[in-house]
C-alpha cells in the first residue's frame, strides 16, 4: 500500500518540524553551568557542603551565591533562599539584578556589595575562589564563617538571624 499524499505531507511536516527544533535549540551539556553528578542529589558536592554549613534548623536563610552554583542550590536545599535565581544565568533573558551584577564583578566593591546584600536581607554571601575584593568584609560587620572547596562564606552579623527554639 502506498502512502497517500495527505499522509506523505504529514510525515514531511513532522520531519521538518523536528529539524527546526533541533537546529533552533541549545545543547545543554555545553553550558558552563552544567556539571556531572557527584552525589545522589545530582548537584556539585560544593553546593551540598555550603548549604549544609549555613543551614539553620527550623528556618530559611538567605544567601548570595556565585552564578555557577545558583541553579543547584534550590535543587538540594528548600530552606536556602537566594535573592536571584536561575533566570539570572540565562544571557538571552537579559535579566538585571544589581546584587548579582556586583557579585559577578571583576573586583567586588564592598562599599557597593554590603548595602545591596542587606537590601535583600542576605544572612550569608559566598565568594568564589580567587575573588578580588576592594575593602575588608570585617570592616562592614561581616564575619568569615568558613570555606568550602575554596569558596569563602561570610555571615553578615547585621542581618538578623533568629534561631528558633526547637526545644
Amino acid at each position: 500500500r502506498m502512502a497517500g499524499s495527505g499522509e506523505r505531507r504529514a510525515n514531511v511536516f513532522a520531519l521538518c518540524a523536528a529539524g527546526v527544533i533541533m537546529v533552533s535549540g541549545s545543547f545543554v551539556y555545553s553550558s558552563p553551568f552544567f556539571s556531572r553528578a557527584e552525589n545522589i542529589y545530582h548537584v556539585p558536592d560544593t553546593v551540598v557542603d555550603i548549604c549544609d554549613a549555613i543551614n539553620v534548623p527550623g528556618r530559611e536563610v538567605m544567601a548570595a551565591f556565585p552564578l555557577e552554583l545558583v541553579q543547584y542550590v534550590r535543587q538540594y536545599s528548600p530552606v536556602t533562599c537566594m535573592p536571584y535565581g536561575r533566570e539570572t544565568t540565562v544571557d538571552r533573558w537579559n535579566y538585571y539584578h544589581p546584587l548579582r551584577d556586583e557579585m559577578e564583578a571583576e573586583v567586588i566593591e564592598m562599599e557597593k556589595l554590603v548595602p545591596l546584600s542587606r537590601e535583600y536581607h542576605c544572612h550569608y554571601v559566598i565568594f568564589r575562589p580567587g575573588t578580588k575584593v576592594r575593602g575588608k568584609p570585617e570592616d562592614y560587620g561581616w564575619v568569615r564563617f568558613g570555606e568550602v572547596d575554596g569558596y569563602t562564606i561570610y555571615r553578615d552579623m547585621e542581618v538578623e538571624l533568629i534561631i528558633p527554639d526547637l526545644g
Side-chain angles (χ1 to χ4, degrees):
R1 167 181 185 270
M2 292 187 63
S5 66
E7 189 177 329
R8 194 174 304 127
R9 280 190 200 140
N11 289 340
V12 169
F13 175 77
L15 188 60
C16 289
V20 167
I21 290 170
M22 287 173 49
V23 171
S24 65
S26 59
F27 190 62
V28 297
Y29 299 111
S30 64
S31 169
F33 300 109
F34 175 80
S35 66
R36 292 208 172 276
E38 299 175 356
N39 51 48
I40 63 171
Y41 307 107
H42 294 270
V43 299
D45 286 340
T46 300
V47 171
V48 172
D49 294 342
I50 291 173
C51 289
D52 287 350
I54 65 176
N55 180 47
V56 176
R59 72 154 297 147
E60 294 178 338
V61 295
M62 180 69 74
F65 281 81
L67 278 187
E68 67 270 14
L69 303 180
V70 166
Q71 70 179 3
Y72 302 109
V73 172
R74 292 297 286 200
Q75 290 177 24
Y76 173 69
S77 173
V79 295
T80 304
C81 301
M82 297 175 291
Y84 47 86
R86 181 181 167 273
E87 70 278 359
T88 63
T89 66
V90 181
D91 289 336
R92 67 178 177 234
W93 291 351
N94 295 323
Y95 185 84
Y96 171 74
H97 196 286
L99 178 54
R100 185 267 335 249
D101 289 354
E102 189 57 38
M103 286 286 294
E104 294 301 307
E106 210 170 292
V107 176
I108 292 178
E109 304 276 348
M110 289 302 296
E111 192 173 313
K112 293 178 185 176
L113 181 64
V114 171
L116 287 169
S117 69
R118 288 181 179 156
E119 179 182 335
Y120 291 97
H121 309 288
C122 292
H123 303 104
Y124 300 96
V125 175
I126 294 92
F127 290 154
R128 70 172 47 91
T131 297
K132 294 178 184 154
V133 179
R134 186 168 292 130
K136 292 182 180 178
E138 295 80 8
D139 292 345
Y140 294 88
W142 287 18
V143 173
R144 190 174 187 280
F145 186 78
E147 186 174 307
V148 174
D149 297 333
Y151 288 86
T152 306
I153 306 167
Y154 282 97
R155 164 79 173 94
D156 187 344
M157 300 309 286
E158 291 191 23
V159 177
E160 190 174 298
L161 180 63
I162 297 174
I163 300 172
D165 180 14
L166 299 175

